[in-house]
Amino acid sequence: MADITIFPQLEIPETIAAGPGPGNTDPRVLQRFASAGVADHMQADVLRGMIEAKLMLREIMGTSNIHTFGVAGTGWSGLDVMFSAVMPGDKVVVFTNGTFSGIDGLTVRMKAATAEELAANSLDPKPASVTIIDVPHGESVTGEIVEAALARHKPKWAAMAHWETGSGRINDLRGFSDACERHGVMGLIDAVSSLGVEDFRIDDFPGVHGWASCPQKGICCLPLTYAPVSFTDRYIETLRASGTRTFVHHPIMEARHWGIIDGKDVDKGSYHRTHSAYAVAAFHEALRILLQDTVARRAKDYEFHEAALRDAVTAMGCKVTSNMTSLVVLNLPDKLAGREMELVQSCRAAGFGIWPTLSEPVQVRIGILNLLNQAAIADIVTRFGAAMNAMGADIDMNEITARLDRHFETAMVAQ
Ligand SMILES: *Cc1c(COP(=O)(O)O)cnc(C)c1O
């Protein structure tokens, strides 16, 4: 018998997840995850939990779309389901302004490529029917940019990230939706970073026909669960007419297990694939927590805590270029410029999980997903300041801490 190695049990330390995602998981979610009994994916309470989760998801997303449910996996799983309606030869305009919308663009190019176009460059196809409108890193996609491109190209589909997490920029969803409506284009939105962080209702954006998000950012449910998706009836009719070449990620078929059959809610799901009782229980609890907090309350908390962090890092001499409320993207002060990777690596090695940008230019990203309290923000600021000082930044941390305290005191007085 060949030698086999059995490694020691895997220990993963507790770190501060202060990046763009995943966010910190609520103990209530982990408790539900670990307390679920072993039950198969057709057991009555598992099916009931999925139906309740579907109904809570409609509330959180602000929609009456029947086709609203979760896709097992991460953000890309939900996005793959959403983009599955894009067929070879479809005319699509994609707006990109960073890492994630860039990958959305690649996904669309793979789906819209004809067989010949795909074979010509299978990992990076350049189909004639897809137009990529590339907006520079650090800038937002504006309604004017969308309007001009849709007027010129008259595509079947248009796609954009609501919040581009690569550069921390919010794109103009209102302008996008309006332009889609004016030109009869079906909009598709990557809402992976915004759902559960900003207070918005998807039904207020009628130019958008497909939405996809993720479990581990605003929904705070990393124990790998479900990526929320939602589709209008027009999207579903279009898909039903064209078909798509996937079984597992077929929006109509995947919806069946969530009790959505022939465009109607039914009281019991039917088998599509195996679902985990643990994942259903955790996702269900994360949605309950978000509804109890309310999306509006959480959005205000993100605004307040992002402002505190932004003020502190600005006082340390950093320049913030983002405008998302769950994430600060910054340039280091001139005297530390070029040492971003070194700084991020030293923080990460100490269990302080901040991130660099994943595409040029190199910047530092600090996120606050589910870190919405004074102690958590103070900890982030103290650790970040100490890391900068270790590189010779010479910041007076007493002054920074006093500023931060004032930010929180002002809020207490205001309440
Ligand atoms: C995080 C993110 C993704 C990818 O999500 P995964 O959960 O890593 O699959 C896609 N789009 C945006 C805008 C994101 O922020």
Side-chain angles (χ1 to χ4, degrees), residues 312-313 315-318 332-333 335-336 339 342-344 346-347 352 354 380-401:
V313 296
M316 290 180 201
C318 300
L332 292 178
K335 78 171 174 187
L336 297 184
R339 299 179 66 190
E342 187 188 336
L343 177 78
V344 167
S346 75
C347 290
F352 174 37
I354 62 172
I380 289 174
V381 167
T382 308
R383 286 170 187 266
F384 190 63
M388 281 178 66
N389 276 342
M391 285 171 52
D394 204 14
I395 299 159
D396 177 355
M397 282 310 291
N398 289 329
E399 191 193 308
I400 302 294
T401 307

Side-chain angles (χ1 to χ4, degrees), residues 74-77 79 100 104 161 163-165 190 192-193 214-217:
T74 67
W76 294 127
S77 312
L79 285 157
F100 294 98
D104 288 335
W163 289 14
E164 169 51 66
T165 324
D190 171 346
V192 168
S193 243
C214 80
Q216 82 278 14
K217 287 175 181 162

Side-chain angles (χ1 to χ4, degrees), residues 23-94:
N24 293 270
T25 303
D26 194 290
R28 270 172 62 185
V29 170
L30 295 177
Q31 200 264 341
R32 286 292 90 199
F33 188 86
S35 307
V38 181
D40 67 42
H41 50 282
M42 295 310 288
Q43 190 272 344
D45 297 297
V46 175
L47 289 177
R48 175 174 59 85
M50 291 177 74
I51 292 209
E52 290 173 0
K54 165 185 79 175
L55 298 175
M56 289 194 278
L57 205 48
R58 284 186 198 152
E59 187 68 35
I60 285 167
M61 297 181 91
T63 185
S64 56
N65 285 340
I66 293 285
H67 285 86
T68 302
F69 54 94
V71 178
T74 67
W76 294 127
S77 312
L79 285 157
D80 193 59
V81 168
M82 177 177 82
F83 288 129
S84 71
V86 175
M87 295 301 286
D90 274 4
K91 212 167 167 187
V92 195
V93 174
V94 187

